[in-house]
């Protein structure tokens, strides 16, 4: 599914215990990306408002970048997970490497790739 249909949003100002939604379309200045889980969202109803397309009741996946543009790498205090290498300029062409594996925590079966703005 497209990140746009998974309520994809860039985040910045990550700190111990949180982060802020950056808003806007550009990856510049973003420390990471937040999007809903394409696996757990299967069969759930879709919703939208003026700016966002989302899946009702689906959980979110947060990925911080190893190579943010115009922002510092998020500190380990903000999130202990590894950092992903990103390329692209917006939600529509964002690519992350390596794959995103959510299966280790239990309860989620998503292990996939974000390529050219699509989570598969
Ligand atoms: Zn999931």
């Amino acid at each position: 599914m497209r990140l746009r249909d998974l309520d994809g949003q860039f985040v910045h100002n990550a700190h111990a215990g949180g982060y802020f939604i950056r808003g806007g379309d550009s990856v510049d200045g973003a420390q990471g990306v937040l999007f809903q889980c394409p696996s757990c969202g299967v069969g759930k109803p879709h919703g939208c408002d003026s700016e966002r397309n989302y899946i009702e009741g689906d959980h979110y996946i947060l990925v911080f970048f190893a190579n943010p543009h115009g922002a510092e790498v998020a500190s380990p205090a903000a999130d202990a997970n590894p950092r992903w290498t990103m390329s692209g300029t917006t939600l529509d062409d964002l690519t992350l490497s390596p794959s995103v594996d959510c299966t280790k925590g239990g309860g989620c079966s998503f292990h996939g790739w974000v390529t050219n703005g699509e989570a598969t």
Side-chain angles (χ1 to χ4, degrees):
M1 289 187 71
R2 305 294 304 172
L3 295 179
R4 292 255 181 223
D5 295 321
L6 294 167
D7 199 17
Q9 301 176 73
F10 289 116
V11 303
H12 69 159
N13 290 345
H15 54 280
Y19 52 85
F20 292 92
I21 300 298
R22 183 160 188 280
D25 218 28
S26 173
V27 74
D28 288 337
Q31 290 178 302
V33 65
L34 185 68
F35 57 96
Q36 288 184 294
C37 179
S39 293
C40 297
V42 171
K44 290 188 167 75
H46 290 240
C48 65
D49 62 23
S50 59
E51 295 177 356
R52 295 159 53 190
N53 294 316
Y54 56 87
I55 299 171
E56 294 178 21
D58 193 12
H59 72 94
Y60 285 80
I61 297 168
L62 176 63
V63 174
F64 281 119
F65 304 143
N67 59 337
H69 296 168
E72 295 182 3
V73 175
S75 84
D79 183 276
N81 283 315
R83 304 295 182 249
W84 277 256
T85 300
M86 67 89 178
S87 61
T89 57
T90 70
L91 286 175
D92 296 312
D93 64 359
L94 186 71
T95 295
L96 300 174
S97 179
S99 61
V100 179
D101 183 0
C102 297
T103 62
K104 294 189 174 104
C108 178
S109 64
F110 180 68
H111 183 186
W113 295 86
V114 174
T115 307
N116 212 19
E118 183 147 20
T120 56

